[in-house]
Amino acid sequence: MPQIASEGTELLGKVALVTGAGSGIGRATARLLTRHGARVGLVGLRKESLGAAAADLGAAALVLPADISDEAQIRDACDALAAAFGTIDLVFANAGINGVWAPIEELDREEWNRTIDVNLTGTFLTIKYAMPWLKRRGGSVVITSSVNGTRVFSNTGATAYSVTKAGQVAMGRMLALELARWKIRVNTICPGLIDTNIAQSTVPQHLDAVPKMATYPRGSIPLTGGAAGTPEQVAQLVLFLLSDASQHITGTEVWIDGAESLLVG
């Protein structure tokens, strides 16, 4: 089985749980973590995507198909990772969906619930069931939030999504204090436009009925002239926050958006 080339040893002996690992930011981060010595549990809905992500990671990766909004499935995934590699030290709670974007009167309760279940409850369950192992010797948790709901409130119809993203920030701050006694750090990243496939989970409905509040200039990402960030750039931030290089940082949000949210918020 192929082995990925090592770039560093700062995560040597560490075991990481990565959700949403089949593509985008999760996949790029899992790859980077293994390059720096970690063994990684790849959690996602699609076994085929996870298998592809694990193909070049060899024995450093364990494929764990699971729906993070299903309590039994994410609990079993955490148990399986700890059974295979002995513990869990690091958690990247990254999985999420855009869900339905629609005017408030067009947003069905079921659509609202699905976004909450995956993005907010799924994050809660992921951290909850990894916690028994993290408490044994400390560790680090990184949550993927968004510029939406934290700095940006101008995306028409994104109410459910933005509420979950704001909730993740609050969760991160609360848990940073609660878990500090066990030497567990909790931080949150807030990406802007990143070149991933999350847009495929967006279902727009009747957004033309809601007037836009403002029109922004072309090139709305000042640092790049409009080009989206890459999953690999976000992965570098996650590596920093999971590693001991950030050992005195907890309860903090980091925006990674090329100053996009400062312009369009």
Side-chain angles (χ1 to χ4, degrees):
M1 189 172 288
Q3 297 291 328
I4 196 163
S6 176
E7 293 182 355
T9 59
E10 60 264 47
L11 298 182
L12 193 63
K14 301 292 187 181
V15 177
L17 178 75
V18 177
T19 66
S23 64
I25 292 170
R27 182 170 181 169
T29 299
R31 183 178 178 86
L32 187 61
L33 297 183
T34 59
R35 283 178 169 171
H36 287 262
R39 290 173 291 175
V40 181
L42 307 175
V43 176
L45 283 174
R46 298 174 183 83
K47 189 173 182 178
E48 297 78 10
S49 297
L50 296 177
D56 60 353
L57 306 185
L62 180 67
V63 171
L64 299 166
D67 179 349
I68 63 165
S69 68
D70 185 302
E71 186 166 8
Q73 290 187 32
I74 189 61
R75 180 193 63 216
D76 291 348
C78 290
D79 289 349
L81 179 59
F85 293 151
T87 191
I88 300 174
D89 303 288
L90 312 171
V91 174
F92 183 32
N94 167 70
I97 60 172
N98 275 359
V100 173
W101 288 28
I104 187 69
E105 68 271 24
E106 301 287 344
L107 187 63
D108 292 342
R109 174 93 180 254
E110 293 76 14
E111 296 162 347
W112 166 274
N113 286 345
R114 179 58 181 161
T115 305
I116 300 294
D117 286 348
V118 174
N119 293 356
L120 197 53
T121 304
T123 298
F124 157 71
L125 293 172
T126 298
I127 298 171
K128 172 183 174 68
Y129 285 108
M131 202 47 55
W133 287 278
L134 269 72
K135 282 186 174 180
R136 294 181 181 183
R137 58 180 189 179
S140 181
V141 176
V142 173
I143 299 168
T144 298
S145 178
S146 173
V147 296
N148 291 295
T150 59
R151 278 183 175 171
V152 174
F153 298 90
S154 53
N155 279 326
T156 301
T159 304
Y161 178 78
S162 294
V163 165
T164 65
K165 298 291 110 177
Q168 286 175 317
V169 167
M171 188 186 305
R173 292 184 182 185
M174 292 292 297
L175 293 179
L177 282 176
E178 177 182 330
L179 302 175
R181 71 183 69 183
W182 288 283
K183 307 301 181 186
I184 299 168
R185 299 182 297 108
V186 184
N187 292 291
T188 306
I189 63 170
C190 301
L193 180 62
I194 305 297
D195 187 13
T196 71
N197 63 2
I198 192 171
Q200 296 175 11
S201 69
T202 307
V203 182
Q205 291 182 358
H206 306 110
L207 295 181
D208 291 341
V210 181
K212 294 189 180 299
M213 297 298 105
T215 300
Y216 300 102
R218 291 183 179 181
S220 60
I221 305 176
L223 192 62
T224 64
T230 68
E232 290 74 20
Q233 289 171 326
V234 181
Q236 290 286 348
L237 173 59
V238 178
L239 172 64
F240 169 70
L241 291 172
L242 289 177
S243 76
D244 287 343
S246 61
Q247 60 186 283
H248 202 55
I249 300 175
T250 193
T252 295
E253 301 82 50
V254 181
W255 282 265
I256 178 166
D257 66 349
E260 174 191 5
S261 62
L262 298 178
L263 178 64
V264 304

